[in-house]
Amino acid sequence: MSVPQTVLVVHPGAELFGSDRMALESVIGFRETGARVVVALPSLGPLVDELRAAGADVVIVPMLVLRKSLLKPRGWPTLLSSALRGLRAAWRLIGRVRPDAVYVSTIIVPQWPVIARLRRVRVVSHVHEAEASGSRLINAALYLPHLAANRVIANSRYTLETIRAALPALAHSSAIIHNGVASPDDPVAPRDRLDGPLRILYVGRLSPRKGVDLVIDAAAMLHAGGREVAVTLVGAVFDGYEWYEEQLREQARSSGVDVDFAGFHPSIWPFLADADVLVVPSRGDESFGNTVVEGVLALRPVVVSDAGGASEAAGDYITAEVVPVDDAKAIADELTEFAAHWSQLIAGVADSRRQALRRHSPDVYRIVVAAALQPAAHAGSDHTSLADRRT
């Protein structure tokens, strides 16, 4: 496979959540083709060490990263200054690195596709965002700069359909590549019997749109019904959302449920090994549900809300159940069903894991993403998805 010799990767953060991990997998894929990879980030964080371990060079540059706070009138001065500084930094970095291709990870770094095309460099945008329930006009504005990309990758059918609804022209140059999700080689089997409390796990940002409070509410309902439960929350808040964590802690104190605020951890597998069930209770639209797949790969039953790509990630796994959005009682009812039919449920976890391994192999993901950088790569929304090619 002919590959670009130098790839500039642009990513809007340096943490290790879903899109951060997919940026890392993409970098590994580019490196495996023999390419030199330079990664531009706006700040330092745990992702940096992982990127360097993969053989990438990391540079920290000023960058316009679209956040909701910047779109409010009081954020406009910061938006303008970030745009000017980001424009200068992007232009200079592309001139210094002289990449053969620019890979833009997520839509919230809108200047880079346009600048790369102005500098006559091939550019691929990878879309990880899809809020179909939001304003089509706002979605169109967010997607618009990525019309400059030579090729667009959508991480799910849900994402592609959201793009098509907001900006049909962009969908024409888009293809689906489902996320590659890493997994332990030999995950810990679930308990044969639920002796003691039902151990419920949440993994992700502590934010209202992720619905973390629904997990505590559902656990409190089980507790009130006489079932022992223990909840572990793995994740941290965005800056400025500390109030939500305090709200969650107060909710936990008044619920009567044992709730462990474990904080952020780069590896979630030990927590999945200790859990009985994983709950993914998102209120807001999700473009895809990496955490759902991680639960399946860890041999754990999963309850997931019907939030766009999150329910798409649940697919047809017999150990993953979809419940209505923003419904703590539905989560509690499903957890009760899980516990009542535990033996039958865990009999299917190995089959679900095998399906997930076929659909979300990181090795195949890396190959397909690297191929997307080639000028000859087929573009079009009819492109076969990664999952379709392996099942």
Side-chain angles (χ1 to χ4, degrees):
M1 181 173 65
S2 174
V3 297
Q5 293 181 330
T6 299
V7 180
L8 175 60
V9 173
V10 183
H11 187 68
E15 296 176 288
L16 284 172
F17 290 100
S19 63
D20 308 305
R21 292 184 182 276
M22 295 322 303
L24 175 61
E25 290 293 341
S26 297
V27 167
I28 293 171
F30 303 150
R31 289 287 299 143
E32 286 177 348
T33 66
R36 173 192 175 219
V37 179
V38 179
V39 183
L41 301 173
S43 61
L44 294 171
L47 179 61
V48 172
D49 288 342
E50 299 289 337
L51 290 168
R52 287 174 175 158
D57 297 323
V58 178
V59 295
I60 308 301
V61 297
M63 189 181 298
L64 172 61
V65 179
L66 289 180
R67 305 290 186 196
K68 288 183 179 179
S69 60
L70 295 181
L71 302 180
K72 298 175 181 178
R74 64 185 178 187
W76 291 351
T78 303
L79 177 67
L80 179 60
S81 63
S82 295
L84 292 173
R85 292 168 60 231
L87 175 64
R88 250 190 328 264
W91 189 272
R92 289 174 179 172
L93 184 63
I94 291 174
R96 188 167 77 244
V97 173
R98 297 188 178 278
D100 299 288
V102 174
Y103 171 85
V104 180
S105 173
T106 85
I107 65 170
I108 62 173
V109 282
Q111 295 176 300
W112 289 85
V114 177
I115 295 169
R117 284 302 293 270
L118 288 173
R119 303 233 35 173
R120 299 185 179 182
V121 179
R122 177 172 174 77
V123 58
V124 173
S125 288
H126 199 153
V127 181
H128 297 270
E129 300 87 354
E131 293 194 23
S133 60
S135 162
R136 288 190 178 184
L137 184 61
I138 292 175
N139 281 345
L142 290 171
Y143 292 135
L144 187 63
H146 299 271
L147 282 173
N150 299 92
R151 183 172 173 80
V152 175
I153 299 169
N155 67 345
S156 68
R157 289 184 181 87
Y158 182 77
T159 298
L160 180 58
E161 291 309 312
T162 304
I163 293 171
R164 181 174 287 115
L167 197 63
L170 187 62
H172 294 321
S173 62
S174 301
I176 301 167
I177 300 178
H178 281 160
N179 291 348
V181 183
S183 166
D185 293 332
D186 189 19
V188 175
R191 293 193 287 171
D192 291 331
R193 297 177 57 189
L194 294 179
D195 297 324
L198 177 68
R199 302 190 297 237
I200 303 167
L201 177 66
Y202 167 84
V203 176
R205 281 285 189 189
L206 304 186
S207 75
R209 74 180 302 276
K210 292 293 187 180
V212 191
D213 52 287
L214 297 171
V215 181
I216 300 175
D217 279 344
M221 291 177 191
L222 294 177
H223 176 72
R227 174 170 292 281
E228 284 188 272
V229 291
V231 175
T232 300
L233 307 178
V234 178
V237 296
F238 280 117
D239 289 342
Y241 279 81
E242 291 79 8
W243 62 268
Y244 183 66
E245 182 174 349
E246 285 304 313
Q247 180 178 304
L248 290 174
R249 289 182 181 274
E250 178 55 36
Q251 182 186 4
R253 282 190 290 268
S254 61
S255 70
V257 174
D258 176 16
V259 181
D260 176 20
F261 287 79
F264 171 78
H265 290 264
S267 175
I268 65 170
W269 303 111
F271 293 94
L272 281 162
D274 288 341
D276 295 316
V277 296
L278 175 70
V279 178
V280 184
S282 298
R283 283 193 177 93
D285 295 335
E286 298 283 354
S287 64
F288 192 70
N290 270 24
T291 306
V292 177
V293 179
E294 287 168 338
V296 172
L297 290 169
L299 300 174
R300 294 299 179 267
V302 182
V303 179
V304 55
S305 68
D306 191 8
S311 55
E312 181 179 333
D316 56 355
Y317 301 121
I318 59 174
T319 55
E321 291 294 336
V322 178
V323 297
V325 172
D326 205 9
D327 192 336
K329 186 178 184 303
I331 295 172
D333 289 346
E334 199 58 58
L335 291 173
T336 300
E337 283 293 304
F338 278 8
H341 302 92
W342 187 249
S343 296
Q344 301 96 307
L345 181 65
I346 64 173
V349 293
D351 284 342
S352 291
R353 173 177 161 83
R354 281 190 286 271
Q355 283 181 270
L357 287 171
R358 289 196 302 272
R359 292 176 180 173
H360 299 286
S361 162
D363 290 339
V364 177
Y365 170 85
R366 294 167 188 169
I367 291 170
V368 177
V369 168
L373 295 185
Q374 297 180 76
H378 171 70
S381 58
D382 60 341
H383 187 276
T384 307
S385 75
L386 189 58
D388 292 337
R389 297 168 91 176
R390 287 180 292 161
T391 56

